[in-house]
Amino acid sequence: MAVTEDIKARKQNLKLYPKYLMLGYDLLFYYGIRVMFLINVKGITDSQILLAATVYAISMIVMQVPATLLTSKIGYKNTAIAGNILNIIFGILLITFNGFGGLALVQFISGTAFALKYVSESNLLSSSIPQAPTYQRNEIFSRLDKKGFSRYCIFSAISTIIAGFLYNINPYIPIFLSLLCTIAATAISFNFNDIQEEESKESFKDYIKDFKKGYKFITKSKRLRALLIMTGAIWGIIVLLDSYQLTLLEDIGATSVQVGFIFAMFELTRGLFSNTALDFNKKFKNKSLTNILLTFATGFILAGIIAMTQLPFYTKLVVIVIILLIMGAANAIDQILAKKYVNNFASTKILPAIYSAKSICDNLFRTIVTLLGSAIVGIYNIDIAMVVMGIFILILTLGLTVYSKDKLGLKPEEYTQKDIYKR
């Protein structure tokens, strides 16, 4: 690729990425009505929904390495396209499937789709950023990533409200709209360009060698292990919160319309606070992830306690919503910072292995935390379960803080040679 063509291709990718992320980060119009649609339209039980979510997490774990290796054969662009096409198939099957077996298949396809998207989208952006010092590349990445994520959250908030109204007219309308957004994201992905940097021009055999070297580096690097464990734990908590907050709101007597607006507010908060992630990181530095974990621990405990009280309904609802929105802000900040920290390892040779390992770690924690949370809510009412999980998160935070104290947030000269990737 000629120099001028290469510059043009990079600029096009950087320009398209926020627009693509707005439509393709996750499914729009769907999550706000997901539980109602699966239970009332498809006849799926609560326990089956939870079990199917585990299928999704396991499929992401199983497909992560194959998805990463696929990128070496067809490139980041085509891998992203493949993921989006699978999401289109997911949307079609969501309309036509019947029974738990069908739901499990749908969730497996969705997990595979997002495994492909996870290993390709961020790497596509990273490879499109012109060569520069690591901190400059990282700032560009974070700026574009938070721009796209913020737009997605705002669009998600709007679509959540619209989906609630349209569901009452016909429950399949939000599913069709979700499918249309996925098709639009797929169309945008066809316009990306694969950037072939000098260090990435290698045979599949060499790629496998570098991939193995990357995983070997991950197992030896205390810094990277600590980062993956902390971000994985936070992701597991975020997924659990998604289930717990709906159950909590319904338990205190919130109507479906109120829940829809609250979820929209939650998404809007995520969109607004994603723009503060870098400022948050500058203020708290190596304490950023610990403070995010503490926010979740405190939020779970306080929300559960407030739900137990005999406060008037609207007072109780307002206080719990404020707590949920604060946790939504922490959610958004983590989504941006997790990618920022991963991209501190700037070599394009190591990033695919790191993103692969991060996805596996995230989904392992997702499975463990959600199964634990499900077991607890099976024993206790949701308000007590919130407090119990909050105490668990607090203990986990203290343990991870001690574990990562001498591994994360150190000065460059304080890291050992095992924490520095050598090409």
Side-chain angles (χ1 to χ4, degrees), residues 72-268:
S72 70
K73 283 290 189 180
I74 65 175
Y76 296 136
K77 170 188 173 180
N78 289 330
T79 304
I81 291 172
N84 284 304
I85 290 174
L86 280 179
N87 257 348
I88 293 174
I89 296 172
F90 161 81
I92 295 171
L93 291 178
L94 198 60
I95 297 169
T96 59
F97 89 90
N98 290 300
F100 174 72
L103 178 60
L105 174 62
V106 165
Q107 288 291 74
F108 180 81
I109 291 173
S110 180
T112 303
F114 279 98
L116 293 170
K117 284 164 63 65
Y118 190 87
V119 300
S120 59
E121 292 170 349
S122 293
N123 280 307
L124 180 63
L125 175 58
S126 295
S127 65
S128 300
I129 298 172
Q131 291 299 324
T134 300
Y135 75 93
Q136 289 182 0
R137 288 173 59 88
N138 210 343
E139 289 299 314
I140 295 171
F141 179 95
S142 297
R143 176 169 54 81
L144 293 174
D145 187 55
K146 73 178 183 180
K147 184 178 181 180
F149 180 74
S150 176
R151 289 180 178 181
Y152 162 78
C153 290
I154 293 170
F155 195 180
S156 179
I158 297 170
S159 69
T160 297
I161 295 174
I162 295 173
F165 287 106
L166 293 178
Y167 180 87
N168 292 325
I169 299 173
N170 186 312
Y172 284 96
I173 295 177
I175 308 301
F176 277 108
L177 290 176
S178 179
L179 183 57
L180 286 176
C181 289
T182 302
I183 292 172
T186 306
I188 294 175
S189 66
F190 273 96
N191 292 290
F192 282 122
N193 299 286
D194 264 322
I195 307 299
Q196 294 295 323
E197 300 185 59
E198 287 301 320
E199 61 177 17
S200 66
K201 294 177 181 177
E202 55 186 1
S203 66
F204 182 69
K205 184 178 179 180
D206 289 333
Y207 185 91
I208 296 291
K209 182 179 178 181
D210 285 331
F211 187 70
K212 289 180 179 178
K213 186 178 178 182
Y215 260 91
K216 187 176 180 180
F217 166 71
I218 293 167
T219 59
K220 290 184 176 181
S221 171
K222 293 180 180 180
R223 173 192 181 191
L224 194 46
R225 284 206 310 271
L227 175 62
L228 295 181
I229 290 171
M230 288 199 76
T231 56
I234 293 172
W235 179 243
I237 294 164
I238 287 172
V239 174
L240 180 65
L241 175 63
D242 185 52
S243 298
Y244 265 27
Q245 65 183 356
L246 175 60
T247 306
L248 183 67
L249 290 170
E250 290 178 342
D251 187 69
I252 66 173
T255 66
S256 59
V257 174
Q258 288 170 336
V259 170
F261 274 100
I262 291 167
F263 277 11
M265 290 169 61
F266 187 84
E267 287 297 297
L268 187 60

